[in-house]
Structure formats: C-alpha cells, structure tokens
Amino acid sequence: MGSVQLQDFAAGWVGGAASVIVGHPLDTIKTRLQAGQGYGNTLNCVLTVYRNESVAGFFKGMSFPLASIAIYSSVVFGVFSNTQRFLSQLRHGDLSHTPALADVALASMVAGFVSVGIGTPVDLVKIRLQMQTQPYIEANIKLKPTVPGFPVYRGPIHCFRTVLQKEGIAGIYRGAGAMLLRDVPGYCLYFIPYTFFCGWITPDGCISPNPSSVWLAGGVAGAISWGTATPMDVVKSRLQADGVYLNRYKGTFDCILQSYQNEGLKVFFRGITVNAVRGFPMSSAMFLGYELSLTAMKRDQTATNP
C-alpha cells in the first residue's frame, strides 16, 4: 500500500481522537436517555449526572473509545477513501477522478459495513461502562453478587474480559445487527452530505476546501447522519446496555418489539436532539482533524520529495 493510501488511515486516526474528546460528554447523556431510567428530558439528565457524579460522570467510559476510535476512524476513512479511488480507477481509469454520487454512496456503504466489525465491541464496552452505575429496578429479582448502583466492571479491559468469559464472542458482538442497520445507511447520510456541502461551499478554483467549509459541511453532515440514525441507535444502545445485570432482549427484533410495546413509537426517537446536536461538533472535529492532518502530511511529502 502506497503512502497516499496510508495517509487516509493516519488522518482518520487524528479525526477520530478529536471527535471523541469533543463528543463524549453528550454521548454519555444520549446513552443514559436511551437505555437508562428516570431521567426525563435532556436537561434533567445533564443535571442528574452532574449532581450525582460531577463532571467526571460525563467522561465515563471515554478511555477505551479514545484508544480504539483511532483504529475505528482510521479504518472508516481509509476504507472510504480507498474504495472511492478504486471505483474511480475502475470506472474512469484515473485514481484522482472526481467520484460520482453512486461511487460516494457505495464507498460509504462499504465503510459502514467494515466499521461494524471494529465498532461493535468498542461501543459495547463504552455503553456498559456508562450504564453500570444505573440502578436496576425490577421486582422479585435477586442480583448477586452484583449490587446495582455499584460498579460491575473495574475498567474497559476488565469489562471486555468479563463479557467475553460470560457471553463469548456473541456477547462481544451483541447489537451488531442493529449497528449494521444503523451504520450502512448512516455513513451514506454522512459522507454524501459532506461531499455535497463541501463542493457547494468551496469557492470555484480552490483545489481543497478551507477549514471553515470543512467545519460547516462536517457539522451539517454529522447532524443529518446522527439524527436519522437515532431509531436504530436506540435499539443498539438498549441491546448493548442489556446484560449489565440480566438479559432482557433475545435480539434486535425482540428489542424493537418490547420497546414499542412498553413505550410506544416515541421510544425510538429518544435522544434524537442530543444525537443531532452532538453530531455537529463531533463531525466538525472529525472532518477538520482528518482534512487538516491530510493537508499537513501532503505538504510534508511535497517538501521531502520536491
């Protein structure tokens, strides 16, 4: 693999780290609203977390995604960019040819499909760590040796190991079906709007978009993608949070059915405001980190090899 192809993976690493730092506090709120109990609205959830767990509560479970999102985003951006190049070479015989809308869509779907393999275990550990302090309210159920309200997992590695020992590989990939249904269309609604808005905002004659264009296009793309992905995101969060104390859902369809029967259609839009709002700064940071580091690497390469 050439240096150009590797640069996309490296730039994705930078973008991913930037997005985690910016978006994790809102991600914690989103997860608590979707899979927790007794929070009411977004503001109430923020105040409750702050009162009970201080500022540190918003950053619960961040170390694992921060370490692993580098690989995750690296793969997503690397696969997306290299699939685009491959399609341009295949269809036009030119790697640098501007990709058509169909090429962007196909590359997005491939990136979404590949990302699930890495993203599911990362999300599972993150959500288990975010949810383990939640009180479990269920009548006539004795939960031993775990006491609800006290940490079940000592940290990300312990969490991963515990789930693997108790539930096997299937446990680590719990919620993968829901994540696949979220991410394959979700990445189409991520990369397509970004490509469109970047092209629309960037002045004619400019080879690459300026930082403000990237920030705005990335933010809008993130808000659209996360907003529309919310229903399957709710299902995924519930499936992955399930199992801290006991298993309630048999699978994706069962989770959809139980959630609908117990709470109606509105349950699938829980956290949609937080998702759309956090989608903007997270994606802005992601695309800015990606584009700026890619530009810096290309500049260094040009300086090294004039």
Side-chain angles (χ1 to χ4, degrees), residues 19 62 82 129 253 264 299:
S19 74
M62 190 178 88
N82 286 298
L129 290 171
F253 184 69
R299 195 185 299 124

Side-chain angles (χ1 to χ4, degrees), residues 219-234:
V220 171
I224 292 168
S225 176
W226 274 107
T228 51
T230 298
M232 286 319 298
D233 192 45
V234 170

Side-chain angles (χ1 to χ4, degrees), residues 10-11 22 84 133 156 203 264 273 284:
V22 169
Q84 272 195 330
T133 56
T273 308
S284 291

Side-chain angles (χ1 to χ4, degrees), residues 19 80 91 98 127 167 175 185 194 209 218 263 284 288 296 302:
S19 74
F80 172 73
R91 286 155 63 94
T98 304
I127 283 173
E167 303 169 52
Y194 174 74
E263 299 165 74
S284 291
L288 262 179
T302 308

